[in-house]
Amino acid sequence: MSRITAARVIVTSPGRNFVTLKIETADGLHGIGDATLNGRELAVASYLTDHVIPCLIGRDAHRIEDIWQFLYKGAYWRGGPVGMTAIAAVDMALWDIKGKVAGLPVYELLGGACRDGVTVYGHANGETIDDTIAEALKYNALGYKAIRLQTGVPGLPSTYGVSADKMFYEPADNDLPSENVWSTAKYLNHIPKLFAAAREALGWDVHLLHDVHHRLTPIEAGRLGKDLEPYRLFWMEDSTPAENQEAFRLIRQHTTTPLAVGEIFSSIWNCKDLIQNQLIDYIRATVLHAGGISHMRRIAALADLYQVRTGCHGATDLSPVTMAAALHFDMSIPNFGLQEYMRHTPETDEVFPHGYSFADGCLHPGDAPGLGVDIDEARAALYPYRRSYLPVNRLEDGTMFNW
Ligand code: EZ4
Ligand code: CO
């Protein structure tokens, strides 16, 4: 028994907004969980403060699964990104506490290491193909074994995923949603040229990836996948939205380029048909937005039956707390595929001191008890919340876009 005596939400913005749950126990321990939902941060903060924390006080922090079931089933209104992010924060914090009580890193509690380190991919992006390849060469030199390539599209003033600051990319860029212009035809004509040039410059030993950010219809995605086949991508990500999971069958019929989807999924129900019908190769759900380590273990176990591997989301709007939790999860499952890794700014790393480290293209969570990450509350208080949104897209004729 490790009785929960207090819990609170800490909102901080060291360059971007992060929401963190801190749970304290009667034996003087604390655990932390990430609760950041990009562009909707305060909704999760309220869900936790107003509706979850009152139910946690007095409970045994060791009963992780029972608390998960209580919060999920007991809400009556199951699932959804706000609710599942809040449950994820509780779940991460409770695993952190259990690890500290046991004196073991969380991956040891999850069955122990299935690998020596977690292979990650970095983001190379640039306005032009040459700029993008120059960035990719830097990642190569840093030892990355896998690199995502995004580039500007000629004729479009800006492209999501391409930013001025290369190492510390941040897509939520305004206090009201900024509007980008999108052309599917221009994009589809340009991207194969990027990968042709990339193979010329980088060779064939490094894994290359591309993120479509849900911009295509299934048949357009099939065509892009086919056009990219000669360049042997590790995966093509989020090529079409997956609210209709059946949509991926059409893409599959047209290409052997491996498919990844799911960074915006909140539950196993969002990926059940995609996995059971083997319509994807990598599932991108995360410990943060899909119900924590406990729920991600269920998703990974289902995926393992169907030869689907994990490829967890790991952009900068997921705090170092999620990064740490993801690494413990990645270490412990048999069907790990690849982990996304975007470096946080030095300000963010100072607010969230952590033990994970990068070497030879891999991250390791370290061996501190629990998750091996904490929040410096005095530093967090220096950075007040700033409203901030992801951009939206319109077609060249002004039509609101995003399938
Ligand atoms: O758009 O994390 O694969 N990574 C991505 C990210 C997401 C942001 C959204 O909050 O697609 O850049
Ligand atoms: Co993505």
Side-chain angles (χ1 to χ4, degrees):
M1 173 83 172
S2 191
R3 205 163 57 81
I4 297 173
T5 50
R8 66 183 178 282
V9 172
I10 301 152
V11 180
T12 180
S13 190
R16 71 144 6 269
N17 294 316
F18 294 110
V19 179
T20 309
L21 174 68
K22 182 167 182 173
I23 297 180
E24 294 171 356
T25 65
D27 34 8
L29 295 172
H30 74 268
I32 58 172
D34 186 12
T36 308
L37 185 62
N38 203 357
R40 297 292 185 273
E41 292 87 356
L42 298 185
V44 186
S46 162
Y47 192 104
L48 283 166
T49 303
D50 298 325
H51 305 295
V52 170
I53 288 174
C55 303
L56 294 179
I57 307 302
R59 282 179 197 274
D60 181 0
H62 283 305
R63 296 182 63 160
I64 299 176
E65 183 65 25
D66 182 62
I67 289 175
W68 196 98
Q69 298 291 334
F70 174 89
L71 292 174
Y72 181 81
K73 295 176 178 167
Y76 188 76
W77 313 102
R78 296 184 186 193
V82 174
M84 292 302 273
T85 301
I87 293 176
V90 175
D91 188 78
M92 280 184 232
L94 296 181
W95 279 109
D96 192 21
I97 289 168
K98 196 183 281 292
K100 287 175 178 171
V101 171
L104 291 169
V106 167
Y107 74 83
E108 294 289 10
L109 305 181
L110 302 176
C114 280
R115 55 195 50 77
D116 300 330
V118 173
T119 307
V120 299
Y121 70 94
H123 286 206
N125 64 87
E127 274 309 319
T128 65
I129 288 175
D130 285 350
D131 291 350
T132 307
I133 287 171
E135 287 303 308
L137 287 166
K138 288 185 201 163
Y139 280 96
N140 227 1
L142 288 169
Y144 281 77
K145 309 253 187 297
I147 309 170
R148 188 187 92 163
L149 304 181
Q150 307 295 128
T151 196
V153 177
L156 297 183
S158 62
T159 306
Y160 188 79
V162 177
S163 70
D165 194 335
K166 297 300 173 219
M167 266 302 184
F168 306 113
Y169 170 63
E170 176 47 62
D173 59 0
N174 211 345
D175 64 352
L176 285 174
S178 49
E179 300 202 355
N180 291 346
V181 178
W182 178 253
S183 161
T184 300
K186 291 187 170 106
Y187 169 78
L188 284 177
N189 285 337
H190 194 58
I191 294 304
K193 296 175 197 159
L194 167 67
F195 283 91
R199 282 299 179 204
E200 282 277 311
L202 295 159
W204 297 85
D205 282 345
V206 62
H207 293 304
L208 299 181
L209 300 81
H210 181 65
D211 192 346
V212 184
H213 293 113
H214 311 106
R215 300 286 198 267
L216 300 175
T217 64
I219 198 68
E220 290 163 351
R223 192 176 112 209
L224 180 60
K226 205 180 212 172
D227 288 349
L228 293 176
E229 277 170 25
Y231 314 114
R232 303 284 189 269
L233 264 61
F234 188 88
W235 76 42
M236 176 171 74
E237 173 181 342
D238 288 351
S239 53
T240 203
E243 285 141 304
N244 174 17
Q245 297 180 39
E246 196 59 30
F248 277 69
R249 195 179 295 282
L250 188 61
I251 309 174
R252 260 301 199 234
Q253 283 165 355
H254 291 282
T255 183
T256 56
T257 294
L259 303 177
V261 74
E263 68 183 39
I264 68 168
F265 289 0
S266 11
S267 137
I268 197 167
W269 298 104
N270 300 132
C271 41
K272 172 180 166 289
D273 299 340
L274 288 165
I275 291 172
Q276 289 185 335
N277 295 315
Q278 296 186 301
L279 300 181
I280 56 170
D281 302 282
Y282 297 93
I283 179 68
R284 287 196 31 83
T286 64
V287 294
L288 169 56
H289 298 126
I293 292 171
S294 300
H295 195 61
M296 279 302 296
R297 292 179 85 198
R298 281 211 162 76
I299 293 176
L302 177 68
D304 191 35
L305 300 181
Y306 296 95
Q307 296 162 293
V308 175
R309 291 186 284 165
T310 63
C312 294
H313 190 202
T316 39
D317 50 297
L318 287 63
S319 91
V321 183
T322 287
M323 199 68 235
L327 294 175
H328 288 280
F329 167 74
D330 293 339
M331 286 290 283
S332 71
I333 54 166
N335 55 326
F336 164 75
L338 191 63
Q339 169 70 50
E340 183 178 20
Y341 174 45
M342 284 171 79
R343 287 161 192 264
H344 289 106
T345 60
E347 295 79 17
T348 298
D349 284 340
E350 280 169 16
V351 170
F352 298 98
H354 52 77
Y356 58 80
S357 56
F358 177 86
D360 295 330
C362 292
L363 280 170
H364 192 284
D367 283 316
L371 293 176
V373 60
D374 211 339
I375 183 163
D376 179 335
E377 292 192 64
R379 282 209 160 266
L382 300 176
Y383 305 103
Y385 169 77
R386 290 183 310 175
R387 193 180 64 206
S388 175
Y389 288 93
L390 290 166
V392 300
N393 281 288
R394 290 188 188 278
L395 299 179
E396 287 163 305
D397 70 356
T399 305
M400 180 64 204
F401 182 74
N402 270 96
W403 297 106

